[in-house]
Amino acid sequence: MERSKTVDEYISNHQNWKREIAYLRAIALKTSFTETVKWGVPTYTINGKNVVGVAAFKNYVGLWFFNGSFLKDHHKKLINAQEGKTKGLRQWRFLSLDEMDEALILEYLNEAIKNQIAGKTIKISRNKTVVIPPELQKVLNENKEFKTSFEGFTNSKQREFSNYIEDAKRDTTKLIRLEKIIPLILSGVGLHDKYKNR
């Protein structure tokens, strides 16, 4: 595998975990990964897809498996740092160089490579349902032109309008906000479009 000069720089600039990062990198270089840097940390890819990253923090250095939930983890090394939030990502944390077993790390890296080649990835659903507040629903029911305009927006823009009304604490504020967005919706203009086009 070709070594990335950016990873060379990342390691040389690191104070606390230089030896550990260099060791994990040396193991990763024995596989069929492509080495790159993403989000400022060494990242190892297969066919352009992120498979594993090496990251150092104050108290530990770790391997981050992007689709680690598919790993068998027979040796119980992986953790989910954000239970309930993170679906695929799994971490393997090390507190010292002594904890790093090359054969075991290679076993996990090679399994992650096989999983990526087999196409095992977490599918993230981006199509969240839109919960329309009653105030907005009333206008949608009463005004066909308004309903047609509203339905012309993407789900995310419909959500922005709905949340804008729903987030108001007082009923009077909800109605004021509704009056404000009606002309925007009829004109086909998103709630935050003026900021996005700057």
Side-chain angles (χ1 to χ4, degrees):
M1 184 207 305
E2 192 177 327
R3 298 163 70 91
S4 161
K5 287 182 178 149
T6 317
V7 174
D8 290 337
E9 289 168 19
Y10 176 84
I11 294 170
S12 65
N13 291 333
H14 224 283
Q15 300 300 317
N16 301 334
W17 299 100
K18 193 176 289 191
R19 287 172 60 230
E20 288 81 0
I21 298 166
Y23 187 68
L24 290 172
R25 179 204 200 184
I27 297 170
L29 288 169
K30 293 180 178 181
T31 69
S32 55
F33 283 128
T34 298
E35 183 177 64
T36 184
V37 171
K38 293 188 181 181
W39 310 284
V41 299
T43 305
Y44 298 88
T45 67
I46 292 291
N47 300 325
K49 302 288 185 184
N50 301 329
V51 180
V52 67
V54 177
F57 294 88
K58 186 178 177 183
N59 299 319
Y60 65 91
V61 63
L63 290 171
W64 302 73
F65 293 91
F66 289 90
N67 286 295
S69 59
F70 292 109
L71 294 169
K72 295 183 183 81
D73 194 20
H74 294 307
H75 306 281
K76 305 293 178 220
K77 299 293 185 183
L78 305 178
I79 62 165
N80 184 340
Q82 291 185 302
E83 280 296 341
K85 286 187 179 180
T86 306
K87 292 186 178 179
L89 192 72
R90 294 293 180 272
Q91 303 173 15
W92 185 351
R93 296 178 178 180
F94 305 94
L95 303 177
S96 72
L97 199 60
D98 296 335
E99 293 183 6
M100 297 179 181
D101 179 330
E102 181 176 342
L104 204 54
I105 293 168
L106 271 172
E107 183 184 316
Y108 277 72
L109 293 178
N110 286 321
E111 185 187 350
I113 289 168
K114 284 179 188 169
N115 287 345
Q116 184 61 50
I117 291 168
K120 292 184 179 180
T121 55
I122 297 290
K123 300 284 186 272
I124 299 169
S125 173
R126 301 197 184 280
N127 190 17
K128 296 178 183 172
T129 54
V130 180
V131 179
I132 297 172
E135 298 83 0
L136 179 56
Q137 189 62 59
K138 185 173 185 286
V139 182
L140 290 167
N141 293 342
E142 293 171 354
N143 187 325
K144 191 176 178 183
E145 182 191 351
F146 181 77
K147 185 174 190 287
T148 303
S149 294
F150 184 77
E151 288 174 350
F153 286 100
T154 61
N155 272 9
S156 63
K157 290 196 175 187
Q158 289 180 14
R159 249 193 321 278
E160 285 175 0
F161 284 122
S162 298
N163 292 343
Y164 179 64
I165 295 169
E166 196 59 45
D167 291 345
K169 303 226 177 348
R170 296 167 55 198
D171 290 343
T172 51
T173 310
K174 288 184 181 192
L175 293 173
I176 290 167
R177 289 185 175 188
L178 179 62
E179 291 300 317
K180 181 182 172 184
I181 66 169
I182 286 172
L184 291 174
I185 292 170
L186 287 169
S187 304
V189 177
L191 183 63
H192 303 299
D193 283 2
K194 65 178 180 180
Y195 303 109
K196 289 174 183 169
N197 294 330
R198 282 182 178 176

